[in-house]
Amino acid sequence: MSTPVVLTVTRDFDATPEQVFDAWLDPARAGRFLFATPEGEMLKVEIDARVGGRALVVERRAGGVAHHHLQFEVIDRPHRLVFLFRADPAEEGEWTRVSIAIAARGSGATLTLTHEMDPAWAAYEQQTRKGWTMILDSLSRIADRTDRAVQTAPDTIRLERLLDAPIDRVWSFLVDSDKRAKWFAAGPLEQRPAGALTFTFDHDALSSRDVPYPERFAGTRGRVAEGYVEAIDPPRLLAFHWGGGEDIARFELTPEGERTRLVITHSRLSTRTNRVLVASGWDSHTQVLAKILAGSACEDFWAVFEEAFQLYDAALPHEPAHG
């Protein structure tokens, strides 16, 4: 038997493994990167996302209409996707095999694509490698995270995240103490305007394995913060003050099918240090929430926080110098 031609392409993404994986099986997103060319017109994207199911991607190009056929062999979200593949001019029986492995990389992901081709197609190896590289470049523009916090005003941080759960379930993770403890902090919260709240922080509980507590945050271990509800409209709005400061955190929830878009706006942050810490905190805490809602867990909260802190410390505007 002839030895197959094997090519491998690896790409890092600033997106979660779930986000990267899901893009391959969602026709709306797949049509924007999978075999899509800059000058082409996507005509059809059909995906039967099950083992044995098939997919068809058809694009009109300058040289004619290109057909791409897939048949799924393995669907293991978000780790592995394997499919048989053929494209013009290959016939029905002339399949090659494509394997996609996705691994977590901090708050992002690394994708490794391996394409096994019959030696008869060896002349197409470089063209095929170039094609997959272009596809992964396009995927990065779709899947890479757009849910980083941004500074929208001198004293305001805003973060937007699409969560894989209906709005009522996401709301319960904001107001229920036991559920909130899994991603942020435990404690009672009176669901009424001016209602009292108490947050008790246990960051050790946010990681699925034992990890060291950073020395610079040792003084916050077991911290208890009190505050009150500024506004509430279940299950769409919750705003509160906490910790004795003037700043206010506002959570807005919007249903998007079976998912929920969460927007956090934290304002009245008087110093850049506070803005960096708040951006890092909400980013890392909501990453934990997203994993829980998707049925997984965060292995090391502090590693996620540190990566976010380094990002925001470099990215957020500095306060103007005086003098």
Side-chain angles (χ1 to χ4, degrees), residues 66-318:
H67 296 75
H68 302 84
H69 302 265
L70 288 69
Q71 181 171 328
F72 299 107
E73 292 189 320
V74 177
I75 300 177
D76 179 18
R77 181 182 189 265
H79 308 292
R80 189 164 175 251
L81 182 67
V82 181
F83 53 84
L84 300 177
F85 167 68
R86 65 180 176 87
D88 300 337
E91 301 296 333
E92 171 66 26
E94 298 178 317
W95 294 102
T96 60
R97 178 172 283 105
V98 177
S99 301
I100 295 170
I102 303 172
R105 179 187 55 82
S107 60
T110 297
L111 182 150
T112 301
L113 182 147
T114 303
H115 193 163
E116 302 174 33
M117 301 188 297
D118 188 279
W121 296 95
Y124 291 89
E125 179 180 358
Q126 290 306 313
Q127 178 182 335
T128 303
R129 183 185 301 277
K130 182 179 178 181
W132 285 122
T133 300
M134 182 183 72
I135 285 170
L136 296 185
D137 286 345
S138 297
L139 173 59
S140 72
R141 290 190 288 273
I142 296 168
D144 275 358
R145 291 185 57 184
T146 58
D147 54 4
R148 291 294 192 187
V150 294
Q151 184 171 324
T152 57
D155 66 347
T156 302
I157 294 295
R158 183 180 187 275
L159 181 143
E160 183 173 329
R161 197 179 295 282
L162 185 62
L163 298 171
D164 193 15
I167 189 170
D168 288 334
R169 184 162 186 247
V170 176
W171 179 259
S172 71
F173 275 82
L174 298 183
V175 298
D176 181 275
S177 174
D178 291 340
K179 291 181 179 180
R180 194 185 334 107
K182 296 178 180 180
W183 69 276
F184 180 54
L189 183 152
E190 296 180 2
Q191 296 185 51
R192 59 178 180 83
L197 63 83
T198 301
F199 293 150
T200 302
F201 291 87
D202 181 7
H203 290 94
D204 290 324
L206 306 184
S207 303
S208 62
R209 58 184 178 86
D210 291 335
V211 297
Y213 208 97
E215 185 175 343
R216 64 187 172 124
F217 292 116
T220 68
R221 200 169 197 169
R223 177 190 173 199
V224 177
E226 296 182 342
Y228 64 92
V229 174
E230 172 82 11
I232 186 167
D233 181 17
R236 294 178 177 269
L237 171 67
L238 175 65
F240 53 78
H241 297 269
W242 59 289
E246 293 297 320
D247 55 308
I248 181 171
R250 181 181 180 91
F251 293 71
E252 296 172 275
L253 287 68
T254 304
E256 294 191 8
E258 290 300 310
R259 296 180 174 183
T260 302
R261 187 167 299 279
L262 171 66
V263 177
I264 301 175
T265 306
H266 200 138
S267 57
R268 303 180 188 174
L269 299 167
S270 59
T271 68
R272 183 180 187 274
T273 297
N274 283 346
R275 292 190 289 275
V276 171
L277 287 172
V278 165
S280 306
W282 287 131
D283 189 317
S284 50
H285 280 289
T286 55
Q287 283 192 57
V288 178
L289 174 60
K291 287 180 177 293
I292 292 171
L293 293 172
S296 60
C298 176
E299 290 190 0
D300 186 343
F301 169 80
W302 287 113
V304 174
F305 178 89
E306 185 60 31
E307 181 177 347
F309 182 86
Q310 295 298 328
L311 184 149
Y312 292 117
D313 191 36
L316 292 187
H318 285 267

